[in-house]
Structures are given as C-alpha cells and as structure tokens.
C-alpha cells in the first residue's frame, strides 16, 4: 500500500510508495520514497529522494540524499553532494548510468558506470571506472582515469592519472 504521511505530501499511483517529507511527492513506481522536504520520486523502483529539494526521476535503486540533488535515471546511482561542506553540501547530479557517485558539492556524473565525482565542482561525462577527485577536476570519458589535482582534466583514454 502507498502512504503520504506529512503535510501536503502525495502519492499518485504505483505500489508500496512512501511520501513522508513535507510537500513531498511520489508519482508511481514501486517501493519509492520521498522523505526530504519538497522532494519527489517519479517512477521506477526502490528510489529514495531524502535530501531537501531532492529529485529522482526513474530507474532503480537510485538515491538523491543531499540538498538540491538529483538523479535522472539509471540504476544504483547516488547524488549526495556531501563532500567538503560541514552543512551537508548538495547541488550534485547524476543524469544516468550505473553505480555512479556524485558526492562533491556541485559535482556531476553524466553517464557511464562506476564513475565518481568526489570533490567540489568535479565532473565525469561518461566512460567507466573514472574518478574526478580533485577540486574542479573533470574527466570526459574513457576507462580507469583519475583527475586528482585541483583543476585537472583527462579528456579520455585509459589509465591516465
């Protein structure tokens, strides 16, 4: 059964969905949860939007747990934006893919699998097993690349560091 237990929360369809944050909503799917204030989950299964103004728009087992974070699909992705901010960070996003992590404040992962953007303003555009761990670092794609210094960039290839 579905439940909407907080002020102005709503669940519109699906099964076993839970909207427990004020002004939160779940729009279908199964086993989805919107527990952050102003959070929403739209379809898919096993998704959690628990951060303030967080959003998950489908896929499976995705988590938007930081303030103003989003996951737009895929599976087993997490946008937390919690790195380097004593107040919880936020503003991170994942557009899709599989097992990607955007934990740096204002970080993003666009697609691919097993990629991570872990420092503030870091980004990974795609590929696999890439890690943008330096401040404002970026990786455009490829496999097993690391951008760990401030403002560093890897444009592709494999095993670049």
């Amino acid at each position: 059964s579905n439940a909407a237990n907080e002020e102005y929360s709503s669940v519109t369809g699906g099964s076993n969905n839970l909207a427990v944050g004020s002004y939160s909503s779940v729009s279908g799917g199964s086993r989805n949860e919107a527990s952050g204030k102003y959070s929403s989950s739209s379809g898919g299964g096993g998704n959690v939007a628990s951060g303030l103004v967080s959003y998950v728009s489908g896929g499976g087992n995705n988590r938007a747990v930081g303030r103003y974070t989003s996951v737009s699909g895929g599976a087993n992705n997490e946008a937390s934006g919690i790195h380097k901010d004593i107040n919880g960070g936020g503003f991170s996003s994942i557009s899709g893919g599989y097992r990607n992590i955007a934990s740096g404040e204002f970080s993003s992962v666009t697609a691919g699998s097993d990629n991570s953007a872990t420092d503030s303003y870091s980004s990974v555009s795609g590929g696999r097993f890439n890690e943008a761990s330096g401040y404002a670092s970026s990786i455009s794609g490829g496999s097993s690349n690391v951008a760990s210094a401030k403002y560093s960039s890897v444009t592709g290839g494999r095993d670049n560091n």
Side-chain angles (χ1 to χ4, degrees):
S1 70
N2 295 318
N5 298 337
E6 198 55 58
E7 64 179 348
Y8 306 107
S9 64
S10 66
V11 175
T12 54
S15 63
N16 299 308
N17 294 311
L18 186 60
V20 294
S22 297
Y23 305 94
S24 66
S25 67
V26 176
S27 302
S30 176
R31 301 175 336 279
N32 294 311
E33 176 184 316
S35 55
K37 190 171 186 177
Y38 303 108
S39 65
S40 70
S41 180
S42 301
N47 296 311
V48 175
S50 61
L52 174 69
V53 194
S54 61
Y55 182 71
V56 177
S57 61
N61 301 310
N62 293 310
R63 296 169 35 89
V65 297
R67 298 178 297 141
Y68 303 97
T69 58
S70 67
V71 177
S72 298
N76 301 312
N77 296 305
E78 181 173 310
S80 62
I82 59 172
H83 186 70
K84 300 233 182 215
D85 188 301
I86 196 162
N87 294 318
F91 306 97
S92 62
S93 67
I94 296 176
S95 298
Y98 180 66
R99 283 195 314 234
N100 294 309
I101 295 171
S103 61
E105 188 173 35
F106 298 100
S107 65
S108 67
V109 175
T110 304
S113 68
D114 302 289
N115 295 309
S116 60
T118 59
D119 204 346
S120 298
Y121 304 98
S122 61
S123 67
V124 176
S125 298
R128 186 170 186 199
F129 299 117
N130 294 307
E131 180 184 343
S133 57
Y135 179 87
S137 61
S138 66
I139 298 176
S140 298
S143 178
S144 304
N145 296 307
V146 176
S148 58
K150 283 184 177 181
Y151 308 106
S152 61
S153 177
V154 175
T155 57
R158 182 175 179 173
D159 296 317
N160 294 299
N161 193 347

